[in-house]
mmCIF file of all heavy atoms in Angstrom:
data_model
loop_
_atom_site.group_PDB
_atom_site.id
_atom_site.type_symbol
_atom_site.label_atom_id
_atom_site.label_comp_id
_atom_site.label_asym_id
_atom_site.label_seq_id
_atom_site.Cartn_x
_atom_site.Cartn_y
_atom_site.Cartn_z
ATOM 1 N N LYS A 333 77.641 -0.160 -115.124
ATOM 2 C CA LYS A 333 76.688 0.237 -116.231
ATOM 3 C C LYS A 333 77.132 -0.565 -117.478
ATOM 4 O O LYS A 333 78.212 -0.392 -117.970
ATOM 5 C CB LYS A 333 76.723 1.713 -116.518
ATOM 6 C CG LYS A 333 75.606 2.181 -117.493
ATOM 7 C CD LYS A 333 75.448 3.694 -117.514
ATOM 8 C CE LYS A 333 74.312 4.170 -118.501
ATOM 9 N NZ LYS A 333 74.259 5.524 -118.540
ATOM 10 N N LYS A 334 76.144 -1.386 -117.934
ATOM 11 C CA LYS A 334 76.495 -2.294 -119.027
ATOM 12 C C LYS A 334 75.934 -1.850 -120.432
ATOM 13 O O LYS A 334 76.226 -2.296 -121.508
ATOM 14 C CB LYS A 334 75.952 -3.687 -118.749
ATOM 15 C CG LYS A 334 76.513 -4.243 -117.492
ATOM 16 C CD LYS A 334 78.004 -4.340 -117.555
ATOM 17 C CE LYS A 334 78.612 -4.990 -116.256
ATOM 18 N NZ LYS A 334 80.045 -5.028 -116.248
ATOM 19 N N VAL A 335 74.986 -0.841 -120.388
ATOM 20 C CA VAL A 335 74.305 -0.451 -121.560
ATOM 21 C C VAL A 335 74.305 1.086 -121.770
ATOM 22 O O VAL A 335 74.132 1.807 -120.665
ATOM 23 C CB VAL A 335 72.816 -0.902 -121.582
ATOM 24 C CG1 VAL A 335 72.119 -0.465 -122.950
ATOM 25 C CG2 VAL A 335 72.761 -2.386 -121.433
ATOM 26 N N SER A 336 74.594 1.640 -122.882
ATOM 27 C CA SER A 336 74.595 3.080 -123.098
ATOM 28 C C SER A 336 73.182 3.727 -123.057
ATOM 29 O O SER A 336 72.574 3.962 -124.085
ATOM 30 C CB SER A 336 75.359 3.425 -124.395
ATOM 31 O OG SER A 336 75.235 4.822 -124.767
ATOM 32 N N THR A 337 72.745 3.935 -121.827
ATOM 33 C CA THR A 337 71.421 4.607 -121.729
ATOM 34 C C THR A 337 71.505 5.709 -120.747
ATOM 35 O O THR A 337 72.467 5.936 -120.025
ATOM 36 C CB THR A 337 70.416 3.592 -121.143
ATOM 37 O OG1 THR A 337 70.879 3.076 -119.967
ATOM 38 C CG2 THR A 337 70.170 2.348 -122.127
ATOM 39 N N ILE A 338 70.470 6.613 -120.876
ATOM 40 C CA ILE A 338 70.428 7.758 -119.878
ATOM 41 C C ILE A 338 69.403 7.367 -118.778
ATOM 42 O O ILE A 338 68.223 7.229 -119.145
ATOM 43 C CB ILE A 338 69.998 9.022 -120.528
ATOM 44 C CG1 ILE A 338 71.093 9.472 -121.580
ATOM 45 C CG2 ILE A 338 69.784 10.111 -119.539
ATOM 46 C CD1 ILE A 338 70.764 10.669 -122.406
ATOM 47 N N ASP A 339 69.846 7.279 -117.619
ATOM 48 C CA ASP A 339 68.984 6.763 -116.562
ATOM 49 C C ASP A 339 68.619 7.932 -115.568
ATOM 50 O O ASP A 339 67.646 7.822 -114.816
ATOM 51 C CB ASP A 339 69.578 5.677 -115.723
ATOM 52 C CG ASP A 339 69.920 4.449 -116.599
ATOM 53 O OD1 ASP A 339 69.051 4.110 -117.352
ATOM 54 O OD2 ASP A 339 71.133 4.006 -116.439
ATOM 55 N N THR A 340 69.398 9.085 -115.654
ATOM 56 C CA THR A 340 69.061 10.260 -114.940
ATOM 57 C C THR A 340 69.240 11.531 -115.841
ATOM 58 O O THR A 340 69.913 11.439 -116.775
ATOM 59 C CB THR A 340 69.975 10.384 -113.699
ATOM 60 O OG1 THR A 340 71.335 10.428 -114.069
ATOM 61 C CG2 THR A 340 69.801 9.201 -112.745
ATOM 62 N N MET A 341 68.704 12.623 -115.366
ATOM 63 C CA MET A 341 68.828 13.818 -116.173
ATOM 64 C C MET A 341 68.829 15.119 -115.206
ATOM 65 O O MET A 341 68.056 15.121 -114.278
ATOM 66 C CB MET A 341 67.636 13.939 -117.065
ATOM 67 C CG MET A 341 67.709 15.122 -118.097
ATOM 68 S SD MET A 341 66.459 15.107 -119.365
ATOM 69 C CE MET A 341 67.114 13.907 -120.539
ATOM 70 N N ASN A 342 69.762 15.958 -115.512
ATOM 71 C CA ASN A 342 69.834 17.285 -114.768
ATOM 72 C C ASN A 342 68.818 18.162 -115.380
ATOM 73 O O ASN A 342 68.841 18.465 -116.571
ATOM 74 C CB ASN A 342 71.242 17.872 -114.920
ATOM 75 C CG ASN A 342 72.354 17.028 -114.225
ATOM 76 O OD1 ASN A 342 72.195 16.506 -113.209
ATOM 77 N ND2 ASN A 342 73.412 16.773 -115.019
ATOM 78 N N LEU A 343 67.980 18.733 -114.581
ATOM 79 C CA LEU A 343 66.859 19.647 -115.072
ATOM 80 C C LEU A 343 66.786 20.859 -114.061
ATOM 81 O O LEU A 343 67.053 20.693 -112.828
ATOM 82 C CB LEU A 343 65.528 18.904 -115.085
ATOM 83 C CG LEU A 343 65.475 17.716 -116.079
ATOM 84 C CD1 LEU A 343 64.173 16.947 -115.706
ATOM 85 C CD2 LEU A 343 65.560 18.107 -117.406
ATOM 86 N N THR A 344 66.377 22.006 -114.632
ATOM 87 C CA THR A 344 65.981 23.117 -113.780
ATOM 88 C C THR A 344 64.738 22.695 -112.991
ATOM 89 O O THR A 344 63.890 21.847 -113.572
ATOM 90 C CB THR A 344 65.592 24.322 -114.649
ATOM 91 O OG1 THR A 344 64.496 24.010 -115.541
ATOM 92 C CG2 THR A 344 66.855 24.758 -115.472
ATOM 93 N N THR A 345 64.612 23.241 -111.843
ATOM 94 C CA THR A 345 63.449 22.834 -110.999
ATOM 95 C C THR A 345 62.511 24.097 -110.786
ATOM 96 O O THR A 345 63.011 25.086 -110.203
ATOM 97 C CB THR A 345 63.954 22.260 -109.706
ATOM 98 O OG1 THR A 345 64.714 21.125 -109.796
ATOM 99 C CG2 THR A 345 62.764 21.946 -108.768
ATOM 100 N N ILE A 346 61.400 24.033 -111.424
ATOM 101 C CA ILE A 346 60.480 25.177 -111.288
ATOM 102 C C ILE A 346 59.251 24.779 -110.605
ATOM 103 O O ILE A 346 58.544 23.705 -110.931
ATOM 104 C CB ILE A 346 60.078 25.683 -112.682
ATOM 105 C CG1 ILE A 346 61.208 25.847 -113.623
ATOM 106 C CG2 ILE A 346 59.249 26.861 -112.666
ATOM 107 C CD1 ILE A 346 62.229 26.847 -113.267
ATOM 108 N N ASN A 347 59.019 25.330 -109.354
ATOM 109 C CA ASN A 347 57.832 25.029 -108.556
ATOM 110 C C ASN A 347 57.905 23.572 -108.105
ATOM 111 O O ASN A 347 56.828 22.857 -108.186
ATOM 112 C CB ASN A 347 56.552 25.398 -109.195
ATOM 113 C CG ASN A 347 56.342 26.887 -109.549
ATOM 114 O OD1 ASN A 347 56.830 27.686 -108.671
ATOM 115 N ND2 ASN A 347 55.745 27.241 -110.606
ATOM 116 N N GLY A 348 59.069 23.127 -107.815
ATOM 117 C CA GLY A 348 59.205 21.737 -107.381
ATOM 118 C C GLY A 348 59.181 20.640 -108.440
ATOM 119 O O GLY A 348 59.297 19.445 -108.127
ATOM 120 N N ILE A 349 59.141 21.022 -109.712
ATOM 121 C CA ILE A 349 59.039 20.050 -110.732
ATOM 122 C C ILE A 349 60.240 20.228 -111.746
ATOM 123 O O ILE A 349 60.630 21.352 -112.136
ATOM 124 C CB ILE A 349 57.790 20.246 -111.592
ATOM 125 C CG1 ILE A 349 56.563 19.962 -110.621
ATOM 126 C CG2 ILE A 349 57.668 19.253 -112.774
ATOM 127 C CD1 ILE A 349 56.385 18.538 -110.099
ATOM 128 N N GLY A 350 60.835 19.145 -112.197
ATOM 129 C CA GLY A 350 61.960 19.151 -113.116
ATOM 130 C C GLY A 350 61.372 19.640 -114.497
ATOM 131 O O GLY A 350 60.424 19.072 -115.006
ATOM 132 N N LYS A 351 61.997 20.707 -115.071
ATOM 133 C CA LYS A 351 61.465 21.318 -116.227
ATOM 134 C C LYS A 351 62.252 21.134 -117.505
ATOM 135 O O LYS A 351 61.916 20.334 -118.381
ATOM 136 C CB LYS A 351 61.277 22.880 -115.926
ATOM 137 C CG LYS A 351 60.428 23.589 -116.937
ATOM 138 C CD LYS A 351 58.948 23.231 -116.837
ATOM 139 C CE LYS A 351 58.115 24.096 -117.727
ATOM 140 N NZ LYS A 351 56.628 23.764 -117.619
ATOM 141 N N TYR A 352 63.338 21.889 -117.669
ATOM 142 C CA TYR A 352 64.074 21.781 -118.931
ATOM 143 C C TYR A 352 65.561 21.638 -118.721
ATOM 144 O O TYR A 352 66.093 21.991 -117.753
ATOM 145 C CB TYR A 352 63.820 22.978 -119.850
ATOM 146 C CG TYR A 352 63.601 24.389 -119.173
ATOM 147 C CD1 TYR A 352 64.708 25.074 -118.627
ATOM 148 C CD2 TYR A 352 62.376 24.898 -119.106
ATOM 149 C CE1 TYR A 352 64.484 26.308 -118.123
ATOM 150 C CE2 TYR A 352 62.135 26.077 -118.468
ATOM 151 C CZ TYR A 352 63.281 26.766 -118.013
ATOM 152 O OH TYR A 352 63.096 28.067 -117.424
ATOM 153 N N PRO A 353 66.229 21.056 -119.768
ATOM 154 C CA PRO A 353 67.669 20.762 -119.683
ATOM 155 C C PRO A 353 68.524 21.998 -119.894
ATOM 156 O O PRO A 353 68.016 23.026 -120.291
ATOM 157 C CB PRO A 353 67.918 19.676 -120.708
ATOM 158 C CG PRO A 353 66.864 20.030 -121.720
ATOM 159 C CD PRO A 353 65.626 20.590 -121.011
ATOM 160 N N PHE A 354 69.767 21.857 -119.624
ATOM 161 C CA PHE A 354 70.757 22.870 -119.772
ATOM 162 C C PHE A 354 71.540 22.911 -121.077
ATOM 163 O O PHE A 354 71.620 21.879 -121.723
ATOM 164 C CB PHE A 354 71.757 22.906 -118.666
ATOM 165 C CG PHE A 354 71.425 23.663 -117.411
ATOM 166 C CD1 PHE A 354 70.468 23.117 -116.566
ATOM 167 C CD2 PHE A 354 71.974 24.842 -117.103
ATOM 168 C CE1 PHE A 354 70.111 23.775 -115.370
ATOM 169 C CE2 PHE A 354 71.612 25.571 -115.888
ATOM 170 C CZ PHE A 354 70.636 24.966 -115.103
#
Side-chain angles (χ1 to χ4, degrees):
K333 189 171 183 179
K334 302 300 181 184
V335 183
S336 173
T337 58
I338 296 179
D339 301 313
T340 61
M341 186 172 280
N342 296 313
L343 299 170
T344 61
T345 300
I346 311 295
N347 297 324
I349 299 295
K351 192 71 174 179
Y352 35 77
F354 271 75

